[in-house]
Amino acid sequence: MPKLLGLRCRECGAEYELQATHVCEMCFGPLDAVYDEAALKKIVSRSRIEQGPSSMWRYRDLLPVEDSVAVVTLGEGFTPLVKAERLGAELGLRNLYLKNDSMNPTNSFKDRVVSVAISWARAHGFETIACASTGNLANAVAAYAARAGLECFVFIPIDLEPAKVAAISVFDPNLVAVRGNYDDVNRLCSQLIESTPWAFCNINIRPFYAEGSKTLTFETAEQLGWRLPDEIIIPIASGCQFVRHRQAARELMEYGLVRGERVPAFTGAQALGCAPVYNAFHSDTPDRVLPVKPNTIAKSIAIGNPSDGVYVNRIARETGGVVEAVTEEEIVEAIRLLARTEGIFTETAGGVTIGVLAKLARAGRWKGDETVVAYVTGHGLKTADVLASANGHSSKRVEIEPTMKSFREKVSIS
Amino acid sequence: MAQFRIPGPLRRLSDGQVTVAVEASDLASAIEALDARYPGFRDRLLDEKGELRQFVNVYLNDEDVRLGSGLQAKVGERDEISIVPAVAGGR
Ligand SMILES: Cc1ncc(COP(=O)(O)O)c(C=O)c1O
Ligand SMILES: [Zn+2]
């Protein structure tokens, strides 16, 4: 029995057959995958999940891939949820946790969405996988296409960080560097879907792709002992994952996987250099997200025209969350703060998340006992250049001769 | 005349035409002209307040009109106006 029933428009409710399409013909609203919830209710349970693989595929029942399909996997997900004692102490939070999604196969949370997207696309006969990307998505798509043996086209803005370009290129995809920013790349790809037979992960097969994000929140709840935290801090680019995390919390409750009725506060993080959702959240018209031209070191989340921005604001408001933003300096400081206190090296998007966490904590948002989880979604080596350009090497660096004398002269041992 | 590029989901309205030429001076009048030729476009593109709908992006020669003067954007003889569904992207 198939568990997927079709696609449904989030705005007007129009229903569609399962297919590679992402917009409602009636109202242009986004389409979501519809599951046979009654059938799933009979099988989904904590013990069934706990017996599954140590990857995000332990939540397979809640993902849009039928049981008969061979999934394309590199062991993504089930990343560490670490209690952040030292960072927590600095911020006055006694129950702070970090979901370290930089531990994924290609070092960002994108492996979750791409594993689902490529599994779906291969099962539905697609031979070429494509995407419009700010870097991390292209990295994941290139790797998983190699793994699956599918053709691959990735489209990136021309000014991407060299480390990201190298990490993409090694998988030998067709790499199209577009002279423009991400929003230009995205528009081009949105027009290309009509003239290519390709599965664009974040465009025409987006309803399936997006679902992979939910596993981050499923895992967080399981790792907290099957309970949801009080608040989750999530970086926002398009807002796609933010929206799916709200849905994940709903499913955890509906399927009786977590106790309690309380929905976490969902809080969004943006860089001030690209803050269209934050701007709208703090305006009189949060339902109108006006595009901006991005200018920030947080390139992986530099989307000036975020497709899900309006939904982010709605969810943040409804759940008691906020959308906050940080400066370029605060991003770099937060990368260093996280590294210094917890031994985790995150990229600029993680700097945005931790920067917002720190800003809100210092502004007195929490009493101290709340369980707060920050999603650290990408690895620091991808954007290591921002540290060098910010203020050179480590302040504790010395250069010495290979002699005891030189060591004693230059290094103070306390 | 300025050319509209019509996306797949809206081509049922334009009898399958991918491009439609219209006589207009700004984007608002271009949409009126498009709707006069193929009724239904105005409703799909504009909300009750007459503003661009949330899920529609309109590009004037590849520039997002919301970054400029929106519906008041001047439209010239050889300009191309692309309608693109907004829900896409992310990452
Ligand atoms: C590391 C990282 N974190 C967060 C995001 C935000 O994702 P979304 O577009 O779903 O808001 C991205 C998107 O590119 C990313 O690369
Ligand atoms: Zn609809």
Side-chain angles (χ1 to χ4, degrees), chain A residues 11 22-23 25-30 109-110 113 132-135 137 182 184 186-187 190-191 194 202-203 206 209 213 238 240-241 288 291-293 303 305 307 310-311 314, chain B residues 5-12 18 43-45 47 49-59 61-67 80 82-91:
Chain A
E11 287 295 312
H22 63 299
V23 282
E25 284 184 15
M26 306 305 193
C27 75
F28 273 23
F109 93 100
K110 293 299 158 65
V113 280
S133 175
T134 53
L137 175 60
Y182 174 78
D184 297 319
N186 193 37
R187 176 188 47 78
S190 298
Q191 293 181 298
E194 293 179 358
N202 49 341
I203 307 180
R206 181 185 185 82
Y209 154 95
S213 313
S238 67
C240 180
Q241 64 154 328
R288 225 161 238 288
V292 300
K293 280 229 187 275
I303 296 185
N305 187 7
S307 53
V310 169
Y311 295 113
R314 245 176 249 168
Chain B
R5 278 197 75 83
I6 313 295
L10 290 186
R11 278 183 214 144
R12 282 180 310 152
V18 178
D43 270 4
R44 290 300 169 83
L45 302 181
D47 63 18
K49 290 184 226 138
E51 295 188 67
L52 274 181
R53 281 187 184 278
Q54 179 192 335
F55 296 114
V56 177
N57 285 332
V58 177
Y59 300 88
N61 301 325
D62 297 335
E63 263 297 308
D64 188 334
V65 298
R66 286 194 181 92
L67 285 171
E80 187 177 81
S82 304
I83 304 169
V84 181
V87 177
R91 304 80 199 289

Side-chain angles (χ1 to χ4, degrees), chain A residues 228-247:
Chain A
L228 282 161
D230 295 309
E231 183 147 356
I232 308 179
I233 321 284
I234 303 163
I236 295 164
S238 67
C240 180
Q241 64 154 328
F242 191 97
V243 173
R244 295 340 283 163
H245 293 317
R246 172 70 188 93
Q247 175 64 16

Side-chain angles (χ1 to χ4, degrees), chain A residues 323-340:
Chain A
V323 180
E324 190 49 78
V326 286
T327 64
E328 304 288 283
E329 294 74 34
E330 286 170 321
I331 296 170
V332 176
E333 270 168 37
I335 292 175
R336 291 187 194 281
L337 172 67
L338 179 65
R340 177 167 59 74

Side-chain angles (χ1 to χ4, degrees), chain B residues 6-79:
Chain B
I6 313 295
L10 290 186
R11 278 183 214 144
R12 282 180 310 152
L13 294 178
S14 63
D15 288 340
Q17 297 303 308
V18 178
T19 58
V20 179
V22 295
E23 200 71 68
S25 56
D26 60 14
L27 182 58
S29 63
I31 291 173
E32 288 308 318
L34 178 64
D35 189 72
R37 176 116 171 254
Y38 295 113
F41 270 100
R42 189 199 299 112
D43 270 4
R44 290 300 169 83
L45 302 181
L46 306 180
D47 63 18
E48 318 79 53
K49 290 184 226 138
E51 295 188 67
L52 274 181
R53 281 187 184 278
Q54 179 192 335
F55 296 114
V56 177
N57 285 332
V58 177
Y59 300 88
L60 186 56
N61 301 325
D62 297 335
E63 263 297 308
D64 188 334
V65 298
R66 286 194 181 92
L67 285 171
S69 13
L71 291 170
Q72 276 74 56
K74 291 268 163 297
V75 171
E77 274 294 296
R78 283 202 294 276
D79 284 346

